[in-house]
Amino acid sequence: MSGFRVWGLVPAWVLMLATLMVPLLIVAAVSVAERGAYGGFAWDFNPLSYREILFSEDWDGNLAFDAKYLAIIGRTLLLAGATTLICMALSLPVAYVIATRPPKTKALLIYLVTLPFWVSMIVRVYAWLIILGNEGFVGRFWQWIGGEGTLLFTPGAMLVGMVYSYIPLMVLPVFAAIEKLDPALLEAGADLYASRWTTARRVILPLTWPGLAAGAVLVFVPALGTVLEPMLLGGGKQMTMGTLIQTQFGGARNWPFGAAVALVLMAMVVLVLMVNARRAMRREART
């Protein structure tokens, strides 16, 4: 039986090795390779791409601290964090309404929440390009209330697109957590004359926190590496780590530096996952 368990996992290990570990090792190797004279890279060991994230070098070879890439990392974290917080705030009432509907209505509402996943991401982002544009209904409303300029190509437009893209990933785990709530606890709160706000704050929120934490990871991790929203809705004016990596592998043709930034982004993702796993282990140990 133990032999079957070992050999039965071989396909999974082979798949993980081929699709995760080998590409990751290739990216790590490229990040310490020499930049090619005409783009790409050469297999010569040169770890200076990591130094380039923090320092710039002038014509005389002098190094100076340069915070421009740290600003991009900070902007990426800020956008991903804001997207996660907005998704948490919006998903809680939405998930509660869905969880308290009759079974047929509940199934229909869950289907509507997952409906955007049936459409390509680029089509969804282009749809917001039209909606937020001067001829779209949101853009027309913005002009009608006296707003100046256009809503497109701003950090707000990027945030709207990211929230729209990732909010289903938050609603589903929060819905699963709320559905497990014991209605007797809510009735007990009402019997003790607790207001709806108090019930939400003292009963619903603590009991649904595992779902919120799981949804936060599901939203925050892909939001760190998002590319389409900054490029299309942000107009490329506000660079993030995703667009920086895309630029280095594209127009700049600086593959080692792009690979180094990609590994920094991956390290941030792994850190988030490790913190979440540690919190989950502590929570299980308390129960």
Side-chain angles (χ1 to χ4, degrees):
M1 187 64 181
S2 59
F4 174 76
R5 288 180 179 177
V6 172
W7 290 106
L9 291 175
V10 169
W13 283 108
V14 171
L15 185 64
M16 182 177 294
L17 191 67
T19 60
L20 178 63
M21 298 306 297
V22 171
L24 185 60
L25 290 175
I26 292 174
V27 172
V30 172
S31 71
V32 293
E34 181 75 26
R35 181 183 182 182
Y38 302 100
F41 64 94
W43 287 117
D44 295 324
F45 181 74
N46 187 353
L48 298 183
S49 295
Y50 291 96
R51 190 186 68 181
E52 194 176 342
I53 297 176
L54 295 177
F55 299 96
S56 61
E57 185 176 356
D58 60 18
W59 292 102
D60 296 328
N62 299 317
L63 294 179
F65 177 72
D66 192 346
K68 62 181 178 183
Y69 294 121
L70 288 181
I72 292 174
I73 294 174
R75 184 182 303 122
T76 304
L77 290 171
L78 186 63
L79 268 175
T83 302
T84 305
L85 290 177
I86 294 174
C87 286
M88 290 174 76
L90 294 178
S91 66
L92 197 57
V94 171
Y96 182 80
V97 169
I98 295 175
T100 53
R101 297 302 99 182
K104 288 186 179 180
T105 307
K106 189 186 301 182
L108 176 63
L109 293 175
I110 287 294
Y111 172 74
L112 292 177
V113 168
T114 58
L115 189 60
F117 284 131
W118 295 80
V119 181
S120 168
M121 174 73 85
I122 194 168
V123 173
R124 283 182 275 161
V125 176
Y126 265 113
W128 277 106
L129 201 63
I130 298 172
I131 293 171
L132 296 176
N134 291 334
E135 299 302 320
F137 69 90
V138 175
R140 287 178 179 273
F141 177 75
W142 174 251
Q143 294 172 357
W144 181 72
I145 63 174
E148 296 182 356
T150 177
L151 293 174
L152 282 177
F153 313 134
T154 63
M158 294 164 53
L159 199 57
V160 168
M162 291 171 68
V163 169
Y164 173 76
S165 298
Y166 299 123
I167 195 170
L169 300 176
M170 180 72 77
V171 171
L172 295 179
V174 175
F175 162 75
I178 291 179
E179 202 173 34
K180 295 178 182 176
L181 280 178
D182 188 353
L185 296 175
L186 304 181
E187 294 174 1
D191 293 341
L192 294 173
Y193 301 103
S195 64
R196 291 185 177 181
W197 167 245
T198 302
T199 303
R201 184 169 56 88
R202 303 292 295 272
V203 179
I204 297 176
L205 192 59
L207 293 177
T208 57
W209 180 249
L212 285 168
V217 173
L218 290 176
V219 171
F220 187 76
V221 168
L224 283 176
T226 188
V227 175
L228 287 176
E229 289 85 355
M231 287 183 63
L232 297 179
L233 299 177
K237 295 179 180 178
Q238 302 290 328
M239 187 168 282
T240 61
M241 293 186 74
T243 55
L244 177 62
I245 295 169
Q246 191 273 338
T247 301
Q248 296 303 316
F249 279 97
R253 296 184 61 78
N254 189 351
W255 289 21
F257 183 66
V261 177
L263 286 184
V264 171
L265 176 62
M266 186 167 294
M268 292 165 59
V269 169
V270 170
L271 181 63
V272 171
L273 295 178
M274 289 179 64
V275 170
N276 183 63
R278 189 175 179 82
R279 290 174 61 89
M281 292 173 63
R282 287 181 176 177
R283 188 167 55 247
E284 289 182 1
R286 288 197 298 267
T287 56

